[in-house]
Amino acid sequence: MTHRLLDAFRHLVRKNLLLLGILGAIWLSMHHPVPESILGAFDVNAPLVALTFAIQGLHMSFKGCGRIRDYAAMIGVAALVSVVCYPLLAAGLSALFGLEADFHIGFILLASLPTSLEAAMAMAASAGGDPLTAVILLVSLNLIGIATIPANIALWVGGAAHVSEMAVLQNLLFYLFIPAIAGQLLRRAFPTLPARTERMTRHVPMVCIVILVYTSCSSESALFHSLRLSDLAHIIIPCVLLHVIMVGAAHVASRKWLRMEIPASRSFLFITAEKPMSLSVALWSMTYAAHHPLAIFPILVFYVCQVVFDSALVAGMLRNDLTKAEAATQRNTATD
């Protein structure tokens, strides 16, 4: 029993290393912040973000994307769910629960982003989703996001933030998407490079994100000491509601509207309903951290809620598949 508990604990830690690293970075910034003299002398955020997404671009495989045109209806519905309805519902829940200032900005920022480059793909694969559907949706939604992220932020955040939409677009292009494209070009030019560098670069994006959080939070460490447990509890309910409702919407859209088969519908569900923590934290650190440092907390709370709910959902899907397989085996045995 103890051995199984230890194995489960190790598995949980491995799956959530980034989250644990970010929480550790916030604690460190509160108690041992980077000195102001160092913060003022060096700007490490831009190169760290660029390095993070260049490595992610290098290791992302987009095989099968030549058939994107055949999936126009699916991509259109996915965009409606992921980058239209998601931020719309987030804005409504933010108003309903009275989220203000940094909490509102972080909540809208997260909801405005397209799908995760890593976590959503892994979750879809764990649930037995269709890999081609997942890749096509991942590529399409992130390309669409170049236009929709600044538009959603302008629409739902507006004057509440001290950052212009053009600054958001500029940071997205120069520090996130262009490095990711550069990573893909390297992958095409040197096909064996990802495999040769996998062990060396596997944890580099996570380390970069943790350093980003540490340096970004250090300048406002006093603000983090002012947070109360009630502040964090206040954001949990809208985070849970937002994700659960959008998971339901993605399920209805894939099964009832698009009438997709189960493997493809599972990929659709996780790719459209999951939101990325690495992209959220990177964009926050580059664009909002200076004026809205506490905007990181809705991102962290949402991600924890998302991991817990989606892990339980995948487990339920796999149990259901196993039950159906056993029932089919029993029927076949009875027929024989």
Side-chain angles (χ1 to χ4, degrees):
M1 181 68 176
T2 304
H3 182 68
R4 271 186 285 178
L5 285 174
L6 285 173
D7 286 343
F9 177 74
R10 291 192 196 101
H11 179 67
L12 184 66
V13 169
R14 281 197 300 269
K15 282 186 65 177
N16 296 285
L17 272 178
L18 178 58
L19 177 62
L20 294 172
I22 289 176
L23 293 174
I26 292 173
W27 181 89
L28 197 62
S29 71
M30 292 171 63
H31 299 282
H32 304 284
V34 180
E36 288 289 337
S37 57
I38 296 178
L39 285 174
F42 302 99
D43 179 17
V44 298
N45 286 11
L48 285 175
V49 170
L51 178 61
T52 297
F53 287 92
I55 291 174
Q56 288 193 348
L58 175 66
H59 290 284
M60 287 301 297
S61 175
F62 297 137
K63 291 180 180 179
C65 290
R67 298 176 57 192
I68 281 182
R69 293 178 185 176
D70 299 336
Y71 294 82
M74 178 185 73
I75 293 168
V77 175
L80 180 65
V81 172
S82 184
V83 299
V84 176
C85 295
Y86 227 118
L88 173 64
L89 179 60
L93 289 172
S94 179
L96 179 65
F97 286 91
L99 301 185
E100 297 178 353
D102 290 12
F103 282 6
H104 169 73
I105 291 168
F107 196 54
I108 297 298
L109 172 63
L110 178 87
S112 299
L113 298 179
T115 187
S116 167
L117 289 172
E118 293 177 338
M121 290 284 288
M123 198 67 75
S126 298
D130 175 51
L132 179 59
T133 301
V135 169
I136 288 173
L137 287 174
L138 175 72
V139 175
S140 304
L141 290 176
N142 278 280
L143 290 175
I144 292 169
I146 296 175
T148 59
I149 293 169
N152 275 316
I153 291 173
L155 182 62
W156 303 117
V157 175
H162 295 83
V163 180
S164 71
E165 290 75 35
M166 284 306 298
V168 174
L169 179 59
Q170 180 179 326
N171 287 336
L172 278 172
L173 288 174
F174 286 99
Y175 300 115
L176 281 76
F177 286 103
I178 289 178
I181 292 170
Q184 271 295 296
L185 292 176
L186 278 173
R187 182 186 181 91
R188 289 172 181 251
F190 306 99
T192 61
L193 185 61
R196 294 207 318 262
T197 61
E198 183 179 4
R199 290 186 64 183
M200 182 176 63
T201 60
R202 182 183 303 169
H203 297 301
V204 171
M206 181 190 69
V207 173
C208 290
I209 292 293
V210 170
I211 295 173
L212 281 170
V213 172
Y214 178 48
T215 56
S216 298
C217 294
S218 288
S219 59
E220 300 291 345
S221 58
L223 268 179
F224 292 93
H225 284 287
S226 68
L227 279 174
R228 297 165 297 176
L229 188 60
S230 59
D231 294 323
L232 299 181
H234 186 55
I235 192 68
I236 289 177
I237 297 175
C239 285
V240 171
L241 284 175
L242 176 62
H243 188 58
V244 171
I245 291 171
M246 293 314 302
V247 165
H251 174 74
V252 170
S254 62
R255 296 290 287 161
K256 306 298 182 183
W257 192 354
L258 295 171
R259 301 190 180 281
M260 302 171 78
E261 297 295 327
I262 288 177
S265 72
R266 288 181 180 178
S267 289
F268 183 97
L269 187 152
F270 288 109
I271 297 297
T272 56
E274 285 214 344
K275 292 298 178 180
M277 185 165 70
S278 58
L279 178 58
S280 305
V281 172
L283 187 57
W284 164 80
S285 67
M286 287 293 301
T287 311
Y288 292 96
H291 298 288
H292 307 284
L294 296 182
I296 192 175
F297 275 94
I299 296 171
L300 296 177
V301 173
F302 182 92
Y303 188 76
V304 171
C305 296
Q306 176 176 272
V307 167
V308 171
F309 180 81
D310 289 356
S311 297
L313 183 61
V314 169
M317 289 176 174
L318 296 179
R319 278 197 304 271
N320 187 49
D321 292 345
L322 182 60
T323 301
K324 288 182 177 179
E326 290 175 348
T329 302
Q330 289 175 358
R331 284 197 301 270
N332 292 336
T333 303
T335 303
D336 295 338

